[in-house]
Amino acid sequence: IREITDRTQNIEIQKYIKNNLLFVKSFDSIELNDVLNFHRQQTNNMTITDCSVCVYAKKNKYRLLTGDKNTRHIAQSNNIQVNGVLFLFTGLVDSAILTKQQAIQKLKALQHKNARLPKSEIEKLITLWQV
């Protein structure tokens, strides 16, 4: 949560937390020690925050959702199931929460805001959904 610096986004996130629609994990001293040990084992510039989500996902056998390439690689090397935003879009379409057309529009808008998204994978989804 502390990484969210945009005031508007932070206000929206706080609403979800207040209404119990978003849970923010607090670590006890033992869990924090696990996070710090995991962090010490990393040879890259992985943040404590990224290490904490990896440790939490692994411990609870949760899927980790991230758009960060470094975190993805570390998670995979630690046998943590990991996916990104395209997985979410596919799930929203498959669950009929978004129509294919809505997903295409939102994905294109997101692509304009985030140039680091995998262009070829986005094009495959758009082609699949346009059929």
Side-chain angles (χ1 to χ4, degrees):
I1 297 298
R2 290 187 190 126
E3 290 183 345
I4 300 172
T5 57
D6 183 283
R7 189 176 176 340
T8 305
Q9 288 178 354
N10 207 310
I11 289 169
E12 289 302 312
I13 293 290
Q14 293 304 322
K15 287 179 190 176
Y16 281 94
I17 294 169
K18 183 179 178 183
N19 292 315
N20 295 318
L21 298 171
L22 177 66
F23 171 72
V24 178
K25 170 70 173 140
S26 295
F27 291 100
D28 62 29
S29 59
I30 293 169
E31 293 168 320
L32 186 55
N33 191 47
D34 292 341
V35 171
L36 294 173
N37 285 334
F38 186 87
H39 185 259
R40 283 186 206 103
Q41 295 170 6
Q42 305 314 309
T43 57
N44 53 31
N45 292 331
M46 194 168 187
T47 66
I48 293 286
T49 302
D50 290 339
C51 289
S52 71
V53 295
C54 284
V55 168
Y56 189 65
K58 184 171 178 105
K59 177 181 176 185
N60 294 287
K61 296 180 175 69
Y62 291 154
R63 179 187 310 267
L64 178 61
L65 297 171
T66 183
D68 184 81
K69 184 188 274 187
N70 187 36
T71 303
R72 173 184 293 272
H73 289 296
I74 295 300
Q76 288 171 331
S77 69
N78 282 275
N79 299 313
I80 300 167
Q81 189 174 13
V82 60
N83 292 99
V85 70
L86 301 184
F87 171 82
L88 291 177
F89 270 91
T90 301
L92 291 170
V93 169
D94 291 347
S95 300
I97 294 170
L98 288 179
T99 66
K100 292 176 181 179
Q101 192 57 41
Q102 289 171 320
I104 289 169
Q105 290 171 348
K106 293 184 182 302
L107 196 51
K108 285 181 178 180
L110 184 60
Q111 191 175 22
H112 288 294
K113 291 184 178 191
N114 186 347
R116 297 185 313 170
L117 290 172
K119 292 178 184 177
S120 64
E121 294 299 316
I122 290 172
E123 291 306 318
K124 286 179 191 175
L125 278 178
I126 289 173
T127 300
L128 176 69
W129 291 337
Q130 285 178 334
V131 174

